[in-house]
Amino acid sequence: MSQERVYQVLSAASDEFVSGQQLSEQLGITRAAVWKAVESLRRQGYDIEARSGCGYRLRCMSDRLGEREIGAFLRKPRKNIYVYASIDSTNTQCKRLAMDGVADGTVVVAEEQTAGRGRKGRSFQSPQGLGLYLSILWRPQCEPEKLLPLTSLAAVAVCRAIGRVTGERADIKWPNDLLLRDKKIAGILTEMALEGESGQIDYVVLGIGINVHHTSADFTEDVAAMASSLDAVIGRAVSRPQLAAALIEELDVLRCEVMGRPEMYLDEYRQRCVTVGRTVQLLRGEERLAAQAIDVDEQFGLIVRHEDGAQETIRSGEVSVRGLYGYV
């Protein structure tokens, strides 16, 4: 496709101009075809400068979440990336694709989720063009209990991806909320399907939502009190395709190198976990118990000390943890 080939040449040229004649000769297409390809790329959101006597220059990469845009930032080509303009939920779509037999490592990305979900059925606000909504499907050959730390491991991978793109250090609110300067900017939802007869894992879906371009007006009032976005916190625009590529690569590292050795990320998780050292509330139904978070154990459970001195390890899914004194 001519526009794809023109894009590749302009992208490889970085900030340099490439003449229409050079594009025509290099790609074996007419000058008119070059012009049509440039106009098509512009309609897709690419900022391409045309200067008489110089040619064309790609000034700004599109922020659109497309296979081409994400692929431009990947260190090596990657298959099985599905991109949607709008979808109910990237996790739900991953599960649909799993039923169709798609391969391990399949990625689903959406510009918008109309029914984005968080833990315990909470909604995740996912407006068009503002965030990164990404899910990945894995088919691990292991016992289900081996995946107990998966969400925590993914939190480290997301922190690393954010750090690569922004240069900022992201922190973790146990078990799976991502914070930047004390504001929630991302969440993780892990879902698993087991085979009925064997009880073995059929697939696991890891869903990640990151607030990128949101302003306070893009959140409901209750969410705006605790959430923000990368742009708002660091004061500049962050590239969503670049962030998507970094996240995919960090998740691939997690899948290939860390899943079987979760201790590789344990120290980093502990260092990033801002819950440790705080007084927290443990919510069990209507009951609220105050406790001191003192450590994270080797299975990424939160160790707390109650007022009577007794210690307990909290596992994700057993209870909810909510902060006190303004800590959310």
Side-chain angles (χ1 to χ4, degrees):
M1 195 172 185
S2 296
Q3 61 177 295
E4 180 66 30
R5 296 162 66 199
V6 168
Y7 166 79
Q8 291 174 353
V9 173
L10 294 179
S11 179
S14 187
D15 199 39
E16 300 296 321
F17 281 95
V18 181
S19 72
Q21 184 64 33
Q22 182 180 342
L23 285 166
S24 175
E25 293 174 356
Q26 183 173 339
L27 301 178
I29 59 177
T30 65
R31 294 284 297 272
V34 169
W35 180 85
K36 288 180 180 179
V38 168
E39 290 304 303
S40 177
L41 289 168
R42 284 172 169 164
R43 287 193 296 271
Q44 295 173 47
Y46 291 95
D47 184 2
I48 299 176
E49 178 184 3
R51 185 178 296 179
S52 179
C54 296
Y56 301 102
R57 178 175 66 172
L58 183 62
R59 289 193 297 194
C60 182
M61 298 281 291
S62 171
D63 192 60
R64 173 176 170 269
L65 288 173
E67 290 185 56
R68 180 198 298 128
E69 290 80 3
I70 295 171
F73 290 103
L74 290 170
R75 292 167 178 165
K76 59 182 181 180
R78 194 184 188 287
K79 297 180 180 179
N80 300 319
I81 299 178
Y82 294 77
V83 180
Y84 300 88
S86 182
I87 200 76
D88 51 357
S89 159
T90 56
N91 265 32
T92 300
Q93 181 62 11
C94 250
K95 290 189 284 186
R96 294 188 191 106
L97 292 171
M99 298 298 291
D100 291 337
V102 296
D104 180 277
T106 293
V107 172
V108 170
V109 182
E111 285 278 3
E112 173 190 41
Q113 294 184 123
T114 58
R117 295 177 288 115
R119 292 178 65 239
K120 298 189 176 181
R122 300 185 185 98
S123 65
F124 186 90
Q125 296 174 23
S126 316
Q128 178 82 30
L130 298 182
L132 172 60
Y133 318 118
L134 181 151
S135 296
I136 190 166
L137 170 76
W138 289 331
R139 300 185 185 274
Q141 301 297 311
C142 65
E143 300 298 321
E145 54 268 22
K146 294 289 187 181
L147 296 182
L148 186 63
L150 178 56
T151 303
S152 300
L153 297 173
V156 175
V158 178
C159 286
R160 289 185 167 195
I162 290 172
R164 278 175 53 179
V165 174
T166 70
E168 295 278 338
R169 174 190 169 88
D171 295 312
I172 302 166
K173 172 183 171 287
W174 188 90
N176 64 340
D177 284 344
L178 282 298
L179 309 179
L180 200 59
R181 303 182 195 174
D182 295 327
K183 286 289 190 178
K184 180 178 176 179
I185 44 89
I188 301 170
L189 175 64
T190 304
E191 298 181 284
M192 183 190 306
L194 303 179
E195 295 178 352
E197 294 182 0
S198 67
Q200 296 298 303
I201 298 168
D202 185 8
Y203 62 84
V204 60
V205 173
L206 193 62
I208 296 149
I210 304 176
N211 302 331
V212 182
H213 300 320
H214 302 63
T215 67
S216 58
D218 297 310
F219 300 112
T220 58
E221 186 176 349
D222 57 329
V223 173
M226 63 178 182
S228 189
S229 68
L230 295 179
D231 285 7
V233 173
I234 68 178
R236 62 176 176 83
V238 172
S239 165
R240 292 186 304 146
Q242 184 181 9
L243 183 61
L247 182 56
I248 290 168
E249 289 177 343
E250 292 295 340
L251 291 173
D252 285 346
V253 170
L254 170 57
R255 175 71 173 94
C256 297
E257 301 178 22
V258 185
M259 285 266 288
R261 298 175 57 200
E263 66 275 8
M264 290 178 63
Y265 278 2
L266 182 57
D267 285 345
E268 185 171 349
Y269 185 94
R270 285 170 169 162
Q271 292 166 11
R272 293 182 185 271
C273 183
V274 297
T275 309
V276 174
R278 304 264 192 163
T279 299
V280 296
Q281 285 184 5
L282 310 182
L283 309 184
R284 293 187 171 103
E286 298 299 320
E287 185 180 26
R288 295 173 178 261
L289 300 174
Q292 185 77 11
I294 59 175
D295 203 356
V296 173
D297 77 359
E298 285 153 0
Q299 289 295 316
F300 295 83
L302 183 67
I303 303 173
V304 300
R305 182 186 294 117
H306 293 279
E307 292 178 350
D308 62 2
Q311 292 187 15
E312 178 184 5
T313 302
I314 309 302
R315 302 291 176 192
S316 178
E318 292 180 7
V319 296
S320 295
V321 178
R322 293 290 184 272
L324 298 173
Y325 317 120
Y327 171 59
V328 295

